[in-house]
Amino acid sequence: TQLLEQSPQFLSIQEGENLTVYCNSSSVFSSLQWYRQEPGEGPVLLVTVVTGGEVKKLKRLTFQFGDARKDSSLHITAAQPGDTGLYLCAGPMYSGGGADGLTFGKGTHLIIQP
Amino acid sequence: DAGVIQSPRHEVTEMGQEVTLRCKPISGHNSLFWYRQTMMRGLELLIYFNNNVPIDDSGMPEDRFSAKMPNASFSTLKIQPSEPRDSAVYFCASSLVRGGYLDTQYFGPGTRLTVL
């Protein structure tokens, strides 16, 4: 099983600030996903990155997949209280894709204070 | 269209009792996954099914855990006997796997299990 480490574990910042959270592994992943989870709910997919070096934007969120496909980052510009949540990165449990269970990082608990 | 449905949403039971968690995946999805989430260990895959067939159950912690998927619209996760260390939030997720790349998994709201 391939392991994913996320940092920081907790992050509390003021509204309007920028932030970056990281997802790292010693293993190569065919793809990585980022999920956001709110209290009392299941994770919801934000993005899937597939190609090394790929950058995807989702409004104020920018996701990057490392060139070597061992790491990924999530950058939030001008954070808002609605961005508060648990951000999880996930990759296929084994080297393949398709019908594969996910291995998750432990997540970054993000709090945006008004 | 309804999302993944899980029941019950909360379960409190005493050690030694049998617990059954239920999941109805999104209609048309061909893969179903059971995960467990705790503060210490995060979100862990327990077992997953493809076309109702168990593919990988290596994440099932012990023989006390069992899962079934008798048809495409229903799955159960059973713990017998339950222990306090089984306390966690259990998520079911479903996906339409088309092969070749990582597909989107849709998670249910989870069942919060407390074993006293």
Side-chain angles (χ1 to χ4, degrees):
Chain A
T1 303
Q2 305 174 95
L3 299 177
L4 290 165
E5 294 188 2
Q6 292 190 244
S7 62
Q9 188 176 357
F10 296 95
L11 183 60
S12 179
I13 63 172
Q14 294 295 123
E15 180 177 2
E17 294 183 9
N18 301 332
L19 67 107
T20 303
V21 298
Y22 301 92
C23 174
N24 295 292
S25 175
S26 58
S27 304
V28 175
F29 280 85
S30 57
S31 57
L32 282 178
Q33 295 181 321
W34 285 90
Y35 287 79
R36 179 164 163 256
Q37 184 178 17
E38 297 191 33
E41 300 181 7
V44 175
L45 180 68
L46 295 174
V47 76
T48 301
V49 287
V50 179
T51 306
E54 181 178 7
V55 176
K56 281 192 173 179
K57 292 192 174 184
L58 187 65
K59 297 183 180 178
R60 294 175 294 99
L61 278 59
T62 302
F63 304 85
Q64 185 162 9
F65 199 12
D67 291 340
R69 292 185 288 129
K70 291 184 177 181
D71 57 270
S72 182
S73 64
L74 160 59
H75 181 80
I76 301 179
T77 303
Q80 299 178 2
D83 296 327
T84 293
L86 175 64
Y87 289 82
L88 297 157
C89 67
M93 184 73 84
Y94 306 109
S95 58
D100 219 342
L102 293 174
T103 182
F104 282 85
K106 290 190 177 180
T108 293
H109 294 264
L110 176 63
I111 296 174
I112 309 300
Q113 300 181 25
Chain B
D1 189 17
V4 175
I5 299 173
Q6 291 188 246
S7 65
R9 290 296 309 275
H10 302 273
E11 177 80 33
V12 180
T13 190
E14 293 187 346
M15 182 174 64
Q17 297 298 306
E18 177 180 297
V19 175
T20 299
L21 311 181
R22 297 173 176 80
C23 175
K24 177 178 171 55
I26 293 173
S27 177
H29 282 189
N30 57 8
S31 290
L32 183 140
F33 308 81
W34 282 101
Y35 293 88
R36 177 173 69 176
Q37 187 174 39
T38 61
M39 282 297 295
M40 287 296 294
R41 300 175 66 88
L43 204 55
E44 301 174 287
L45 177 68
L46 299 177
I47 185 171
Y48 69 96
F49 298 81
N50 185 245
N51 293 320
N52 311 339
V53 175
I55 301 301
D56 183 1
D57 65 355
S58 60
M60 297 284 263
E62 299 173 29
D63 291 344
R64 299 184 295 106
F65 286 69
S66 62
K68 293 182 179 180
M69 191 166 186
N71 57 62
S73 59
F74 184 65
S75 177
T76 59
L77 177 67
K78 185 177 293 186
I79 308 172
Q80 165 66 17
S82 59
E83 296 183 3
R85 59 189 167 133
D86 301 330
S87 297
V89 181
Y90 290 80
F91 287 101
C92 175
S94 71
S95 176
L96 176 59
V97 173
R98 289 157 288 189
Y101 61 94
L102 197 56
D103 298 280
T104 302
Q105 293 189 15
Y106 296 85
F107 284 76
T111 295
R112 180 174 294 277
L113 173 65
T114 302
V115 183
L116 303 174

